[in-house]
Amino acid sequence: MRNSKNRDKLLLIISIIVAICVAVAFALAERQPDRPAGTEPDDTDSAVISDTTSDITDEITTAKVTDAPVTTEDPVTEPPATEPPTTEPPPVEKVISVLACGDNLLYRPNTFEADERATDGKRSYTFTYENVRELLSSADISFINQETLLCGGNTGYPLFNSPFEVADTLAELGFDVANIATNHMLDVGYDYGVYSTGEGIAVSRKTLEGKGILAIGGYDSEDDFKSIRIIEREGVRIAFLAFTDSTNTIKLSPDSDIFIPYLTEENVRTAVSLAKEMADVVIVSAHWGVDSSRNVTDEQRTFAKLFADLGVDAVIGHHSHIVHPIEWIEGKDGNKMLCAYSLGNFIGIMEYPLTILGGILTFDIHTLEGSKPWIENVGFVPTVYHYNRYYRNNVIYYLEDYTNDLADEHGVYLCYYNRFTVEELSEYLEDTVGKEFLRSKNDYR
């Protein structure tokens, strides 16, 4: 019985061992690579494995020598090389300030007072302009209508001739351009005969240009008239033309080569056409209208429209000795032209209240690369020319600084019995010039 039990235990142990071996064999068989049934690995297989391993090793070695090092960081992609953007700076707008004054009409007492005030024997007229001197010197270009010829004399109406020193004063005040095309431009060289030699024109021009002031309106010949006078500022060429509708009843001698720029359609078309070819801006000085009249004539308006149609940029008018309207006139091409028909007297010992009223016209020329220059910011600063009962104390005041007490001391009242008030002068300007153009001296500080 015991032997029977021992035999059963042995068989059980053997069965377990066999099962374990079978399981191990199956496990090993699954881990081997597939191969045809009934074959066993031999020495050839071992050689193939060895050779393959060697090839892989060689490839790895070569890769280490020739390839870029491998990193675990994300690759940085460089952007393709490009030219820097070419952005041109925006065009720069430039501004040229222009200032214009009316009739600089010197009578004999102006020089008498200058002599009385002279220091070290040197005559000067700066005392007359002292109140407005700061504004006069502030502009890039300053213009004045020099009503009387500057030939070294001291005569008054009807044949004017003023001292050379007037040009010194104008230069000291900063004036750049002076018109001499006036109804008095033949006064010197006329001896109450039939003709004038016109010699005063050449002398006055030489006097002004000797002080660095461009003289317009006095021409040696017709060819000289066609030689356009130009001032350049900020790269902008500005042409100045001048015309007069009268030389009173005086005629130029037929023997003279001097050219008088009369206000005719032919002269206007010729000069403006030449100026438009040579300059960027055209400014016209027009000596026209009726002496001591408040009204603009039909002839003035006709020529003003012609100037606008021809492309003139601005007209500075004078001769009437009284302030006239300022307006914009549209040309045939839609362009806008500034027209000041008359700036009145800057100085002038005359007998009516409106003849002592004047003003300083200001405007800006704007220029932008690629565009035609244009005018804007137009202003008119009113002035009063004062003199007393003795024709002394010849001084220009701003209207805003003038008082009725000064008006009561004015020669217009005390010598000619023409009383006026500051309020009356102001009202005339508001009605004539318009509030939109009127400016204070403080607007320029």
Side-chain angles (χ1 to χ4, degrees), residues 143-198:
F143 164 97
I144 193 165
N145 174 52
Q146 182 52 48
E147 186 80 19
T148 59
L149 293 173
L150 306 179
C151 300
N154 183 29
T155 58
Y157 183 84
L159 302 177
F160 288 92
N161 180 2
S162 300
F164 298 126
E165 289 87 350
V166 174
D168 293 301
T169 296
L170 295 181
E172 186 178 342
L173 294 170
F175 284 103
D176 304 284
V177 185
N179 171 66
I180 59 173
T182 76
N183 57 309
H184 292 291
M185 67 187 304
L186 293 179
D187 286 3
V188 176
Y190 178 68
D191 59 1
Y192 294 95
V194 179
Y195 298 108
S196 170
T197 62

Side-chain angles (χ1 to χ4, degrees), residues 132-311:
V132 296
R133 183 172 186 166
E134 181 179 356
L135 178 55
L136 295 180
S137 63
S138 66
D140 295 316
I141 299 177
S142 294
F143 164 97
I144 193 165
N145 174 52
Q146 182 52 48
E147 186 80 19
T148 59
L149 293 173
L150 306 179
C151 300
N154 183 29
T155 58
Y157 183 84
L159 302 177
F160 288 92
N161 180 2
S162 300
F164 298 126
E165 289 87 350
V166 174
D168 293 301
T169 296
L170 295 181
E172 186 178 342
L173 294 170
F175 284 103
D176 304 284
V177 185
N179 171 66
I180 59 173
T182 76
N183 57 309
H184 292 291
M185 67 187 304
L186 293 179
D187 286 3
V188 176
Y190 178 68
D191 59 1
Y192 294 95
V194 179
Y195 298 108
S196 170
T197 62
E199 60 191 79
I201 294 173
V203 174
S204 292
R205 177 176 162 184
K206 182 178 179 181
T207 300
L208 289 163
E209 293 181 346
K211 302 302 178 181
I213 300 172
L214 176 66
I216 60 172
Y219 305 107
D220 296 335
S221 63
E222 186 172 357
D223 287 341
D224 188 33
F225 166 69
K226 295 177 181 179
S227 178
I228 305 302
R229 274 54 171 174
I230 291 175
I231 287 181
E232 185 170 333
R233 295 286 189 275
E234 298 286 354
V236 178
R237 293 169 61 82
I238 304 165
F240 283 87
L241 309 179
F243 305 94
T244 180
D245 66 0
S246 168
T247 51
N248 294 330
T249 60
I250 306 174
K251 296 181 180 180
L252 182 67
S253 170
D255 298 331
S256 175
D257 291 329
I258 290 173
F259 186 85
I260 303 298
Y262 285 113
L263 185 63
T264 66
E265 184 173 343
E266 180 183 359
N267 285 343
V268 167
R269 289 187 179 276
T270 297
V272 173
S273 177
L274 291 170
K276 294 284 287 182
E277 293 177 1
M278 301 173 60
D280 306 299
V281 176
V282 179
I283 297 176
V284 168
S285 168
H287 207 76
W288 56 3
V290 177
D291 191 322
S292 302
S293 172
R294 298 185 181 197
N295 302 318
V296 176
T297 67
D298 291 341
E299 183 182 43
Q300 285 176 275
R301 295 193 184 279
T302 297
F303 275 105
K305 185 62 168 66
L306 176 61
F307 286 133
D309 287 343
L310 294 177

Side-chain angles (χ1 to χ4, degrees), residues 215-438:
I216 60 172
Y219 305 107
D220 296 335
S221 63
E222 186 172 357
D223 287 341
D224 188 33
F225 166 69
K226 295 177 181 179
S227 178
I228 305 302
R229 274 54 171 174
I230 291 175
I231 287 181
E232 185 170 333
R233 295 286 189 275
E234 298 286 354
V236 178
R237 293 169 61 82
I238 304 165
F240 283 87
L241 309 179
F243 305 94
T244 180
D245 66 0
S246 168
T247 51
N248 294 330
T249 60
I250 306 174
K251 296 181 180 180
L252 182 67
S253 170
D255 298 331
S256 175
D257 291 329
I258 290 173
F259 186 85
I260 303 298
Y262 285 113
L263 185 63
T264 66
E265 184 173 343
E266 180 183 359
N267 285 343
V268 167
R269 289 187 179 276
T270 297
V272 173
S273 177
L274 291 170
K276 294 284 287 182
E277 293 177 1
M278 301 173 60
D280 306 299
V281 176
V282 179
I283 297 176
V284 168
S285 168
H287 207 76
W288 56 3
V290 177
D291 191 322
S292 302
S293 172
R294 298 185 181 197
N295 302 318
V296 176
T297 67
D298 291 341
E299 183 182 43
Q300 285 176 275
R301 295 193 184 279
T302 297
F303 275 105
K305 185 62 168 66
L306 176 61
F307 286 133
D309 287 343
L310 294 177
V312 169
D313 296 281
V315 173
I316 303 170
H318 29 82
H319 171 59
S320 67
H321 310 300
I322 292 178
V323 175
H324 282 169
I326 299 172
E327 62 185 25
W328 293 98
I329 300 176
E330 183 173 339
K332 65 179 182 179
D333 296 326
N335 55 297
K336 297 288 187 181
M337 182 189 78
L338 174 66
C339 183
Y341 285 99
S342 175
L343 301 180
N345 276 337
F346 201 41
I347 71 172
I349 301 176
M350 299 182 72
E351 65 268 35
Y352 302 113
L354 291 184
T355 61
I356 65 169
L357 184 63
I360 302 170
L361 177 72
T362 65
F363 59 88
D364 293 333
I365 298 172
H366 288 249
T367 177
L368 193 64
E369 186 177 354
S371 301
K372 184 186 183 305
W374 69 96
I375 289 175
E376 62 179 54
N377 194 28
V378 180
F380 184 78
V381 188
T383 58
V384 175
Y385 180 67
H386 182 87
Y387 61 91
N388 64 22
R389 68 164 69 234
Y390 307 107
Y391 302 101
R392 298 297 190 272
N393 194 22
N394 290 274
V395 176
I396 301 170
Y397 287 87
Y398 289 113
L399 176 60
E400 62 194 277
D401 294 333
Y402 206 68
T403 66
N404 286 327
D405 288 339
L406 284 170
D408 288 340
E409 298 174 1
H410 203 292
V412 163
Y413 169 50
L414 298 178
C415 298
Y416 301 103
Y417 311 107
N418 292 314
R419 194 158 201 165
F420 66 94
T421 66
V422 172
E423 291 73 23
E424 289 170 345
L425 297 180
S426 299
E427 183 179 350
Y428 174 80
L429 286 176
E430 290 181 7
D431 292 341
T432 303
V433 175
K435 291 183 179 180
E436 68 271 25
F437 293 119
L438 295 178

